Amino acid sequence: MIDLSVDEEHDALRATVREFAREEVAPVIGDLYEREEFPYALVAKMGEMGLFGLPIPEEHGGMGGDYFALCLALEELARVDSSVAITLEAGVSLGAMPLYRFGTAEQKERWLPPLAAGTALGAFGLTEPGGGSDAGATKTRAVRDGDSWVVNGSKSFITNSGTDITSLVTATAVTGTDDNGRKRISAIIIPSGTPGFEVSRKYSKVGWNASDTRGLSFTDVRVPAENLLGTEGRGYAQFLSTLDEGRVAIAALSVGLAQGCVDESLTYAAERSAFGHNIGSYQAIQFKIADMEVRTHTARLAYYAAASKMLRGQPFKKEAAIAKLVASNAAMDNARDATQIFGGYGFMNEYPVGRFYRDAKILEIGEGTSEVQRMLIARELGLAG
C-alpha cells in the first residue's frame, strides 16, 4: 500500500514552522526585504528551534532528524518568504551537509556544532564568473605547498558567504590533472577571515533581497592541508551528490512559494469585489486558482517521491531533477497568476505576491537550471549526448 501521509513527528514540526513563519517572519520580512537587510534575529530564532540541525546527528550538535524534515520546514517558510527559506536551505544543504557527508572526524567536531546550532553559517563555493552551469570548467586552483594548500581564483553567486556569522566557505578548486589531462577538482574548507580571502559587496538582486549573496576572490589564500574535504580529486563528484540532495530541498522551497501564492490568492479573491461581487465568484478567477492548486499538489508529490527514495538509500538523481523542474515551474507559473489575480496591487512590494513574483525566477536557475534538469533526466533515461 502506498502511503503519502506525514507521520506525527514530521507533522508536528511542520505545524511549528508554519506558526513561526506566520507569527515571526510575516510581520517583519517586508521591511527587511525592502532594506535588503539580512534577517539575523530570525536566523537566531531558527537556530534555537533546531532547524539548522534537522538532518544532522545529535553527536554533531544536530537534531538527529532526516532530510525530509528539512524539506517540510523549507516548504512552510517559503509559504511566507523565500529569503529566510533559502538562508536555511543553503546553510544546511550546502554549508553543513558536505561536511557531514565527507568530512573527517576532526572536521566534523570543529565545524558542525555551530553550523547545526545556527550560530554560524557555511557556504558552498562552486559557481564561477565564467562557469555557470558548466561547473566542471572550474578555474580556481589550489597548489600543495608543504603542509598547506594555496588557493587562487574566484567564485560568484555564493549564498550566506558574507554574513557576520559566516564561518567558512567550502570551495572547489583544481588540484592537478589526471594522466588523460582531465582536471582533478577537490573541495577545500576556507575559514572566513583567512588572509587573501575577500568577499565582495552584496549583489543588487531582483529577488531574495533579505538573503546574503556575494562574489568571492582568493589571492594566495593559504589553509592547512587538513582542510581538504573528502578525497583529493573527488570534490566535483562530492558536490554533484550534494546538489542532488539540494535539488530536493529547492523543490520543497518552490512548493512553499507556489502554495503561498494559492494562500494569498484565496484570501484576496474572497475580499476583493468587482462589478458587485467578490472576484472569487467569477469562473475566470476560480479556474486560475484551481490550476495553481493543481501545480502545487503535483510538485509536492514530486518532491515527496524524490525524498522517499533518498531516505531509503535508493538512486534518486532522476527524481530529484524531476522534482526541481516541476516545482520551480509551478512556483514561477503560480507567482505570475497570483500577480494577475491581484492586479495593480500585485505589482506593489507591500503585498507578498509582489515578493513571490520577484523570488520565483531564480528557482528555475539556482542549483541547476531547468535546462540542466532536463539534461539530467534525459541521461538517466539512457539518452546519450
Side-chain angles (χ1 to χ4, degrees), residues 8 54 86 118 129 138 140 171 203 207 220 236 242 250 270 276 330 360 363:
E8 291 184 7
L54 281 172
I86 195 58
T138 300
T140 297
Y203 290 114
D220 292 331
Y236 185 54
T242 297
I250 289 293
L363 298 171

Side-chain angles (χ1 to χ4, degrees), residues 16-85:
T16 298
V17 179
R18 181 178 301 172
E19 180 180 8
F20 169 76
R22 291 176 175 174
E23 300 298 324
E24 302 284 345
V25 178
V28 301
I29 195 59
D31 288 340
L32 292 171
Y33 196 95
E34 185 174 348
R35 297 197 304 268
E36 300 184 5
E37 183 176 327
F38 189 77
Y40 286 104
L42 295 175
V43 169
K45 290 179 181 178
M46 290 193 293
E48 293 169 1
M49 294 168 64
L51 301 188
F52 284 93
L54 281 172
I56 306 296
E58 294 180 10
E59 65 188 276
H60 300 306
M63 299 295 289
D66 55 33
Y67 208 84
F68 184 57
L70 172 65
C71 290
L72 292 175
L74 292 171
E75 180 182 344
E76 292 302 325
L77 289 171
R79 287 178 74 166
V80 171
D81 177 70
S82 291
S83 292
V84 173

Side-chain angles (χ1 to χ4, degrees), residues 375 378-385:
M375 179 182 69
R379 286 180 180 174
E380 290 298 304
L381 292 173
L383 298 171

Side-chain angles (χ1 to χ4, degrees), residues 90-104 107-108 111-112 115 121-128 138 140 142 151 154-162 166-174 185-192 194 197 199 216 218 221 223 226-231 234-236 238-240 242-243:
V92 180
S93 177
L94 303 181
M97 291 305 287
L99 285 159
Y100 170 57
R101 297 293 190 203
F102 309 111
T104 64
Q107 289 170 343
K108 293 176 183 178
W111 299 108
L112 275 182
L115 295 178
L121 291 174
F124 171 99
L126 176 64
T127 304
E128 297 194 352
T138 300
T140 297
V151 184
S154 60
K155 301 291 179 179
S156 57
F157 313 134
I158 309 304
T159 304
N160 291 346
S161 59
T166 299
S167 62
L168 65 93
V169 172
T170 303
T172 52
V174 178
I185 298 177
S186 304
I188 298 175
I189 302 168
I190 303 177
S192 298
T194 302
F197 174 22
V199 181
L216 312 176
F218 312 108
V221 172
V223 298
E226 58 264 27
N227 280 28
L228 178 72
L229 180 64
T231 304
R234 294 290 298 167
Y236 185 54
Q238 292 168 190
F239 275 122
L240 287 179
T242 297
L243 287 174

